[in-house]
């Protein structure tokens, strides 16, 4: 039975950053589902805008050409962790954004400041609208998009472990050998970490979790425990302020 002084859980904003293949998506989705939070895959948004640029024959090697049309596509993200969706101008692009072509070009598109400004504004609006809270995964969430997040996690793993995980995710024709996947992954991480505008980086107040030797379930449990601790502390503060 509900007690009279029972308050709703405090809204909790969780930022999960890290390079590719560290288990960010699987972890973020599972944590959000377990805790009744929304979920946002910000990489999917950068992939979606890249897909639109390719489809509209924008010269990906020309940052000015990308910047000029960065506000054109309408990108909508569905934030239910059990079935996240992404559309561009009403078209479901959840499949097409995972192709090799998009993957190989997304770093160049996402390095353009006008693209980042546009997508960052979208991300902040989605987080602000999440009633219970949200788990947002990406590269610059803790440092730039949501610097006031209640909990910031930075996931890492060895290049070998990350390449093995990514290879396992690739299907059919696109499944390449491990060495090629490792090369592509390292190249993309270097581009994402080296760009001028909000590069992949660990926030000073982020909790670093090395997932190399951990199972997915162990990583999920670790993050859920950390969120519950922070949420408990936030509820305590709210009660004390009343
Ligand atoms: O997480 P992912 O591999 O789907 O991300 C695709 C690309 O999007 C990644 O190479 C860098 C970019 N990205 C970014 O610049 N900032 C984010 N917050 C998320 C992704």
């Amino acid at each position: 039975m509900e007690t009279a002084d029972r308050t709703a859980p405090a809204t909790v904003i969780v930022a999960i950053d890290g390079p590719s293949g560290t288990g960010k998506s699987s972890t973020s989705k599972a944590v959000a589902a377990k805790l009744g939070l929304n979920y946002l895959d910000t990489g999917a948004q950068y992939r979606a805008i890249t897909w639109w640029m390719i489809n509209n024959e924008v010269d990906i090697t020309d940052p000015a050409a990308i910047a000029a049309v960065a506000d054109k596509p309408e990108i909508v993200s569905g934030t239910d962790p059990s079935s996240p969706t992404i559309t561009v101008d009403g078209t479901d692009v959840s499949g097409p954004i995972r192709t090799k072509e998009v993957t190989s070009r997304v770093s160049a598109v996402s390095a353009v400041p006008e693209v980042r400004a546009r997508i960052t504004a979208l991300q902040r609006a989605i987080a602000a609208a999440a009633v219970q809270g949200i788990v947002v995964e990406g590269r610059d969430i803790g440092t730039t998009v949501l610097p006031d997040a209640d909990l910031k996690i930075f996931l890492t793993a060895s290049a070998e472990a990350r390449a093995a995980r990514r290879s396992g995710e690739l299907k059919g024709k696109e499944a390449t050998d491990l060495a090629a996947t490792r090369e592509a992954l390292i190249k993309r991480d270097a581009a994402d970490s080296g760009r001028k505008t909000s590069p992949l980086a660990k926030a000073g107040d982020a909790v670093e979790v090395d997932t190399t030797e951990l199972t997915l379930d162990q990583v999920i449990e670790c993050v859920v425990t950390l969120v519950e601790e922070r949420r408990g502390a936030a509820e305590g503060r709210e009660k004390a302020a009343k």
Side-chain angles (χ1 to χ4, degrees), residues 15 140 143 164 202 223 227:
D140 62 337
T143 54
K202 175 177 174 283
V223 178
V227 177

Side-chain angles (χ1 to χ4, degrees), residues 86-97:
I86 180 123
T87 62
V88 179
D89 299 331
T91 301
D92 174 6
V93 293
S94 45
I97 62 169

Side-chain angles (χ1 to χ4, degrees), residues 47-60 66 96-97 99-106 109:
R47 286 171 180 274
I49 199 166
T50 302
W51 174 87
W52 185 89
M53 298 281 166
I54 295 168
N55 243 29
N56 286 275
E57 291 170 13
V58 177
D59 181 358
I60 306 288
I66 294 172
I97 62 169
T99 59
K100 236 181 188 172
E101 186 179 21
V102 170
T103 302
S104 65
R105 293 177 178 193
V106 63
V109 174

Side-chain angles (χ1 to χ4, degrees), residues 119-142:
I119 301 291
T120 297
L122 265 180
Q123 292 161 353
R124 288 180 177 151
I126 292 169
V131 179
Q132 300 296 320
I134 190 164
V135 179
V136 183
E137 62 141 311
R139 304 291 192 288
D140 62 337
I141 310 307

Side-chain angles (χ1 to χ4, degrees), residues 42-43 46-47 106-107 110 116 138-140 188 192 195:
T42 64
Y46 285 104
R47 286 171 180 274
V106 63
S107 289
S110 62
R116 299 209 73 81
R139 304 291 192 288
D140 62 337
R188 191 149 64 91
D192 295 340
R195 69 171 172 242

Side-chain angles (χ1 to χ4, degrees), residues 127-215:
V131 179
Q132 300 296 320
I134 190 164
V135 179
V136 183
E137 62 141 311
R139 304 291 192 288
D140 62 337
I141 310 307
T143 54
T144 306
V145 179
L146 302 167
D148 296 327
D150 299 290
L151 174 65
K152 300 177 187 177
I153 304 280
F154 195 78
L155 295 183
T156 60
S158 70
E160 282 67 30
R162 296 192 293 116
R165 289 172 191 165
R166 260 292 139 94
S167 269
E169 283 165 13
L170 297 170
K171 293 185 186 85
K173 270 208 309 231
E174 302 229 319
T176 39
D177 65 280
L178 209 60
T181 303
R182 188 175 181 280
E183 286 308 300
L185 193 128
I186 288 171
K187 198 170 147 205
R188 191 149 64 91
D189 288 346
D192 295 340
S193 306
R195 69 171 172 242
K196 272 212 182 103
T197 314
S198 55
L200 161 66
K202 175 177 174 283
D205 53 352
V207 179
E208 184 165 335
V209 180
D210 183 344
T211 69
T212 309
E213 304 288 339
L214 300 178
T215 64

